[in-house]
Each structure stands twice: as structure tokens, then as C-alpha cells.
Amino acid sequence: EKEPEHQTMMHYDLLDKDSFRTLLQNELTVIVDAKNKPKSISVADIWLSHEHRRTYPNGMGLYPSKAPNGYFNTWNGFSVYPRPGDCSLFCEHIGKIICAGNQKLYDWVLDWMADLIQFTDDPKGCAIVMRGGEGIGKGTFANAIGDLFGPHYRHLIDDTHLTGNFNAHLIDAIVVFADEIIWGGNKKTSGKLKGMVTERHLVGERKGVDASLYRNMIHMIIASNEQWLIPAGADSRRWLVLDVPNTKANDVNYFNSIKDELENGGKEGLIYMLKQRKITSNLRKAPETEALQEQRAMSAQQDTLLNWWCMALTSGKLETPDEKEFEPGKDAVIEWPELVDKVSFYNEYEEWCMKRRLRATSMNVFFKDVKRQIDVHETRAVINKTRKRVFKIPNIKRATKLISDK
């Protein structure tokens, strides 16, 4: 592989035809017309009608490996060329500070980084989440990784830029650093945040342009000094949550040494090392940490319904009796009911919350949420010759799949 003399970072804007003409309207050139007379014409008109203009009939997209025929590739390549170099201070920062000296976590993080470099277009669906105070090195870690990707790096400090409707700036993103963005238990945005980490395709929405699907290549890094950072469910597997110690907090000399290393061959050496690294970790499931368990506990207090439901699925049993059991001649014991009395169903949930000293939602909210979150349907059934409003419960196999897909 031949080393390029320099790396050109490409930025682009999208213009419609009229805007393109207006932009170049004052750039004229003189041509000779059919009557052999000079004529001024806009360079925009010359380019639009030129037989050798570059045309991409299939559109544009981000293709780190290779763009299919007919597509304009927005991939810029790495910001530096990989070559042997010293990045030992930065790696030591990851091991001793970001991973707090835990060798298992350090190996997983390096494998996550190696996968990012080796298989850029195939994120494995896990995010790195760092919790800790200011000035302790979280940004040093995230920015060093992001800087390797030039214009494909997004350092976001506003939650609307992370989970807002207009997300054109994320379509070409490969590394996204959500810096001190507070999730705060917002259910509306939790699905978007999870989707950015795990979904293969997302909907891109530019202002004034129809929304369209694009291939999601986001590798997410999150950092905050808040206690509750992420929407972690009972069986969440996508979050590596790290409590970062303040050992080097505001140590100017320490961080300047890392900066000098990275700017003097360290970035090149980091890419080189990661390209050579053999990946052995399961990157589709983040290691469990105490910090993740705390996130689950805090999420459980906010979303008691899903956590109660996950516990029921794990045990394979609901205490609420199946209304069909009361039909004449039917006396079999059913651990997973099909039809349940609505109030009895709520009572089981409320009792589960009370035992754990958690606050249960109101009955009306519960009735709405079970339909929306766990695919329970309200129906009328004839029970002992009487028509009655009941909940129809999905079978345990379908219910488990619905939760695992969240």
C-alpha cells in the first residue's frame, strides 16, 4: 500500500439546481458561439451540460470499504496514515484511568477500538459510557479516537443534536461523542439513543428533503458526571459503563504529555497498532460492571413496568390467573395465562413494586403502557357465559422476543 503525500479532508454541501446556478452566476467565461461571436456564459451552465461531468445516478453514501457503482462515496479515510509510532501514554491512560486498572475491561476497550479501525462499516452494537467528574480524562480518550476520523467525528454537547428530528449531521458520522448530554429518563428519546447504538439502518432527515434510510455506522461514546446516564433495561447488553477515577483530575502536565505524544506520531502509531491487533472479545455484549448495575437500578425505578415484565419472563410465570380457567370443566393450572382480568393484572404489578419499595404507576397509566410497551391487547371475552373486558397476553416466546428487540 502506497502512502499518500497528504490527507485531504472533504466537506460538502447539498444544493438544488437553482441554488447551484445562483452560487456560480457571477463566475463567467467567454466562449465563441455558432456565429463566431464571443459570448459570456456561466460556468454552472457549462458544467451542467458537459458530457464528461461526474454523475452519480444512484445517489451518495458512506462506504469505508468501497462504494457500489453509481454512488458518490463520502468516506474521507483516516485523518493520518498508519505507521509504527509510540502511543504508550495514551494506552496507559485507557488502562489505568478509563478502565481503572481492570485488565479485562482494558482488553475489551482495545478490541472495541480495533474493530472500529478494522471493520469501520460494521459496528457491533455496544457503546462506551464513562461516568465521572470534570477534567479527569474522559474527553482525552474520546477526542483522540474521534480525531482519527476527521470529518466523520461528531462531538456533541446539545441533546437536540443527538436525538432531534433533523439529523443530517449524523448521516456521515462514524464516531459520536455525547459529551455531558443529560438523558434524564426521557422515554421519547431513549428509543432513539438505543437505536443509534444497535440499529443497522436509521432514518436520515434533512431540512426540506424527504426522509430516507441510511446505513448506520455510529460508534457511540458517552461521558457525563451525572449519576444516571443511559436507559439500561434489566437485560441490557449494549452499554459498557465505566466509573472513571479522578486520579489525574486537572493534572496539566499529565494531559499535555499525552497530547504531545499523539501529535508527534502517536495517532499514526495508534491506528497502526489497532490495525494489527487480533480481536478476541465478544463485542456484541459489553462486560457487566457495577456501574451498569447501578444504571439498571435507576432505570428500574423509572420504568417499573418493563422491569416487572422482564422478571416475569425470566421466571416464566405470572401470578394472575387465566380467566379461561374459570370456564366450566377446565381446572388445569396455567403458569402463563392467555386472558387476564385487567385489575388483577395491575394488582400483581403493584404488589411487585411494593415489595421492592418502588413507586408503581397509576392504574390508568398502567393500562395504557402495557398496550404500548409489552403488546398486551384489550378484548372482550365470554367468561362463564358473561362478556367481560380482559387483557390478551402474548405467548411467552413472542413476549420475550419483543423485549429483547427493545
Side-chain angles (χ1 to χ4, degrees):
E1 185 179 5
K2 185 179 179 181
E3 180 175 347
E5 293 183 2
H6 64 276
Q7 190 81 11
T8 302
M9 292 291 105
M10 174 186 64
H11 298 270
Y12 64 87
D13 292 308
L14 298 180
L15 302 175
D16 59 32
K17 187 176 180 180
D18 289 338
S19 298
F20 175 69
R21 286 179 181 274
T22 301
L23 179 67
L24 299 176
Q25 190 171 3
N26 64 337
E27 293 193 30
L28 304 175
T29 188
V30 178
I31 63 172
V32 177
D33 64 15
K35 297 180 179 181
N36 205 29
K37 293 182 178 181
K39 177 182 178 181
S40 295
I41 186 172
S42 167
V43 296
D45 291 327
I46 294 176
W47 183 84
L48 286 169
S49 60
H50 202 286
E51 61 179 325
H52 296 306
R53 76 176 188 189
R54 287 190 295 171
T55 302
Y56 302 91
N58 295 328
M60 59 193 296
L62 180 62
Y63 301 99
S65 298
K66 184 182 178 182
N69 290 334
Y71 283 89
F72 174 71
N73 193 356
T74 61
W75 166 243
N76 267 263
F78 299 115
S79 62
V80 295
Y81 191 83
R83 63 169 67 89
D86 184 15
C87 57
S88 57
L89 291 180
F90 179 66
C91 290
E92 185 177 350
H93 175 69
I94 299 174
K96 292 186 176 180
I97 303 300
I98 300 302
C99 297
N102 186 310
Q103 184 65 41
K104 179 182 177 182
L105 297 179
Y106 175 62
D107 289 339
W108 193 94
V109 170
L110 283 187
D111 280 352
W112 185 91
M113 294 166 58
D115 185 77
L116 167 62
I117 298 297
Q118 296 177 31
F119 307 102
T120 305
D121 54 1
D122 184 25
K124 301 303 185 291
C126 286
I128 294 177
V129 182
M130 298 175 288
R131 184 172 67 172
E134 296 181 4
I136 62 175
K138 306 187 300 291
T140 296
F141 168 74
N143 287 320
I145 296 172
D147 286 347
L148 302 178
F149 290 87
H152 300 294
Y153 173 45
R154 302 289 183 271
H155 184 174
L156 306 180
I157 58 174
D158 188 326
D159 60 346
T160 60
H161 295 153
L162 183 66
T163 57
N165 288 334
F166 296 115
N167 59 352
H169 57 288
L170 296 176
I171 292 176
D172 291 329
I174 289 175
V175 177
V176 172
F177 178 29
D179 189 6
E180 300 296 343
I181 292 178
I182 300 173
W183 173 63
N186 189 328
K187 289 186 178 181
K188 184 177 180 180
T189 60
S190 67
K192 289 186 177 180
L193 185 59
K194 294 174 183 176
M196 291 170 68
V197 176
T198 60
E199 294 302 321
R200 190 170 181 83
H201 293 91
L202 296 175
V203 175
E205 192 170 352
R206 305 177 190 269
K207 289 185 178 180
V209 180
D210 291 341
S212 59
L213 283 177
Y214 69 94
R215 176 72 169 91
N216 176 29
M217 298 183 197
I218 289 175
H219 297 72
M220 180 77 72
I221 302 174
I222 299 173
S224 179
N225 56 15
E226 296 289 327
Q227 288 300 304
W228 190 15
L229 293 84
I230 52 166
D235 297 317
S236 55
R237 65 188 186 279
R238 57 174 67 86
W239 315 107
L240 174 64
V241 187
L242 303 169
D243 273 332
V244 182
N246 61 359
T247 312
K248 297 295 183 180
N250 302 310
D251 188 333
V252 176
N253 292 331
Y254 172 80
F255 290 112
N256 281 344
S257 296
I258 296 175
K259 180 180 178 182
D260 290 342
E261 176 186 83
L262 291 171
E263 291 181 352
N264 292 278
K267 291 180 183 179
E268 292 86 344
L270 180 61
I271 292 186
Y272 183 85
M273 181 267 288
L274 294 173
K275 273 183 168 288
Q276 308 299 319
R277 183 177 176 84
K278 182 178 180 180
I279 300 170
T280 58
S281 301
N282 177 9
L283 297 175
R284 299 192 184 277
K285 187 177 191 310
E288 290 223 9
T289 62
E290 289 186 12
L292 173 60
Q293 293 172 6
E294 290 178 16
Q295 297 299 300
R296 287 173 175 167
M298 284 183 274
S299 297
Q301 293 178 21
Q302 188 263 350
D303 202 339
T304 52
L305 170 59
L306 282 181
N307 283 274
W308 163 69
W309 190 242
C310 285
M311 292 291 288
L313 291 172
T314 301
S315 67
K317 183 178 181 181
L318 283 170
E319 300 296 334
T320 308
D322 195 325
E323 289 293 320
K324 285 189 173 183
E325 290 190 71
F326 295 97
E327 294 178 11
K330 185 172 183 179
D331 55 2
V333 176
I334 299 176
E335 292 189 340
W336 194 262
E338 179 183 350
L339 300 175
V340 297
D341 177 74
K342 292 169 58 179
V343 175
S344 299
F345 195 49
Y346 174 77
N347 288 341
E348 179 177 347
Y349 155 76
E350 185 180 42
E351 183 179 351
W352 182 88
C353 291
M354 290 174 63
K355 287 181 179 179
R356 290 158 180 79
R357 297 182 180 180
L358 300 175
R359 183 176 179 180
T361 61
S362 68
M363 186 178 292
N364 287 337
V365 172
F366 175 84
F367 288 163
K368 292 178 181 178
D369 283 351
V370 293
K371 298 174 186 176
R372 179 174 57 87
Q373 296 195 60
I374 61 178
D375 201 35
V376 166
H377 298 284
E378 186 174 352
T379 185
R380 286 183 177 273
V382 178
I383 308 297
N384 292 332
K385 299 182 180 180
T386 301
R387 290 188 65 81
K388 183 177 180 180
R389 284 192 173 275
V390 294
F391 279 144
K392 182 176 177 61
I393 308 296
N395 64 57
I396 195 166
K397 183 178 180 180
R398 172 172 169 73
T400 302
K401 184 178 186 305
L402 288 171
I403 289 297
S404 64
D405 289 343
K406 285 186 177 290

